[in-house]
């Protein structure tokens, strides 16, 4: 039986969340994103959920052992028997090793590859309304009237500090630093599938499916 125990990798702006959702629908497997999982565990009030909540409420990063426990619980649920798509986990090599130690093997790690310049282009064009927070994109999703918010009529849209090219480049260098050992780890296991993420979203989905079904 074909199982699709997958993990998604890709820089911010690569569209990996969108692809994960589409693959989940296509293969009828759950899309397991770390953020959703943490919120769910917190809502359910499990032991680990309560622990995670303490960190989240304090605005702190939830430590590895808590996240790993929550992932283990989630993947042992019935709907994950035929496979799953992990999104946002593992983020580091120790987390990846912990996953392997749990006895969870991945069939494929889908790495959505988008160049830094393309990410800067995608994320760098974001403009926000200082009044209501609506977000636009200079090129891909501009407001109807130049420099005016569609939602509230505010004039003078701004580029938030997070969306400035230098901020994006610094986030990207952090991303590459953290994921390089992860990529090496999965490459050595023969699980890594590099997919060109610069084409249209539909084409990216098809390229991923083709690659997975070829194996
Ligand atoms: Zn507005």
């Amino acid at each position: 039986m074909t199982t699709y125990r997958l993990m998604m990798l890709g820089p911010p702006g690569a569209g990996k969340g969108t692809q994960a959702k589409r693959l989940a629908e296509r293969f009828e497997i759950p899309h397991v994103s770390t953020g959703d999982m943490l919120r769910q565990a917190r809502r359910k009030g499990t032991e680990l959920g309560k622990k995670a909540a303490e960190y989240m409420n304090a605005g702190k990063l939830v430590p590895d052992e808590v996240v790993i426990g929550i992932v283990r619980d989630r993947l042992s649920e019935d709907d994950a028997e035929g496979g799953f798509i992990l999104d946002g986990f593992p983020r580091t090599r120790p987390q990846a090793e912990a996953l392997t130690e749990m006895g969870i093997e991945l069939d494929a790690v889908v790495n959505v590859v988008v160049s830094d310049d393309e990410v800067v282009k995608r994320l760098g064009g974001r403009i926000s309304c200082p009044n209501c927070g609506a977000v636009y994109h200079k090129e891909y999703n501009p407001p109807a009237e130049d420099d005016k918010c569609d939602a509230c009529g505010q004039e003078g849209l701004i580029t938030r500090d997070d969306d400035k090219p230098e901020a994006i480049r610094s986030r990207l260098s952090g991303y590459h630093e953290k994921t390089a050992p992860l990529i090496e780890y999965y490459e050595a296991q023969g699980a890594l599938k590099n997919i060109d993420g610069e084409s249209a979203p539909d084409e990216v989905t098809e390229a991923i499916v083709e690659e997975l079904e070829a194996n």
Side-chain angles (χ1 to χ4, degrees):
M1 183 191 137
T2 315
T3 58
Y4 289 104
R5 291 166 301 188
L6 311 176
M7 199 264 273
M8 301 295 294
L9 263 182
K16 115 187 124 71
T18 307
Q19 295 300 332
K21 257 181 227 143
R22 290 173 174 210
L23 295 172
E25 273 171 33
R26 174 84 70 120
F27 298 128
E28 298 180 343
I29 50 178
H31 172 203
V32 177
S33 95
T34 319
D36 290 348
M37 227 172 352
L38 287 172
R39 281 186 290 272
Q40 196 186 23
R42 177 161 67 169
R43 209 170 42 236
K44 280 190 182 164
T46 62
E47 262 330 292
L48 288 165
K50 281 183 204 155
K51 253 193 209 152
E54 283 172 29
Y55 291 95
M56 290 159 86
N57 293 340
K60 286 186 192 155
L61 212 60
V62 181
D64 272 7
E65 66 265 25
V66 177
V67 180
I68 289 164
I70 288 174
V71 172
R72 189 185 49 219
D73 286 354
R74 177 64 189 88
L75 297 184
S76 67
E77 285 178 32
D78 292 347
D79 66 341
E81 251 174 49
F84 49 79
I85 301 179
L86 286 173
D87 179 5
F89 181 90
R91 251 186 226 289
T92 60
R93 176 143 181 170
Q95 287 184 348
E97 286 166 354
L99 196 67
T100 308
E101 275 161 29
M102 264 187 248
I104 297 169
E105 301 284 343
L106 298 173
D107 298 312
V109 172
V110 176
N111 186 25
V112 183
V113 180
V114 174
S115 69
D116 285 6
D117 286 344
E118 174 67 17
V119 172
V120 171
K121 206 168 109 192
R122 289 182 183 181
L123 299 183
R126 289 215 290 220
I127 39 177
S128 311
C129 173
N131 181 44
C132 74
V135 179
Y136 303 89
H137 192 283
K138 284 177 195 163
E139 204 175 320
Y140 310 124
N141 177 31
E145 248 181 275
D146 211 22
D147 210 29
K148 189 171 168 185
C149 179
D150 291 345
C152 74
Q154 169 83 28
E155 281 183 51
L157 300 176
I158 55 164
T159 300
R160 294 185 332 184
D161 285 345
D162 281 357
D163 297 329
K164 291 189 174 149
E166 56 274 25
I168 297 166
R169 291 208 185 266
S170 121
R171 242 156 83 209
L172 279 170
S173 79
Y175 169 81
H176 292 308
E177 207 174 295
K178 255 199 249 161
T179 44
L182 202 57
I183 287 173
E184 236 169 67
Y185 181 72
Y186 286 118
E187 198 162 32
Q189 294 183 2
L192 192 76
K193 311 284 176 206
N194 288 316
I195 304 288
D196 175 10
E198 298 201 9
S199 44
D202 285 348
E203 286 169 41
V204 177
T205 309
E206 288 320 307
I208 297 172
V209 171
E210 218 170 272
E211 180 68 39
L212 293 176
E213 290 182 341
N215 289 276

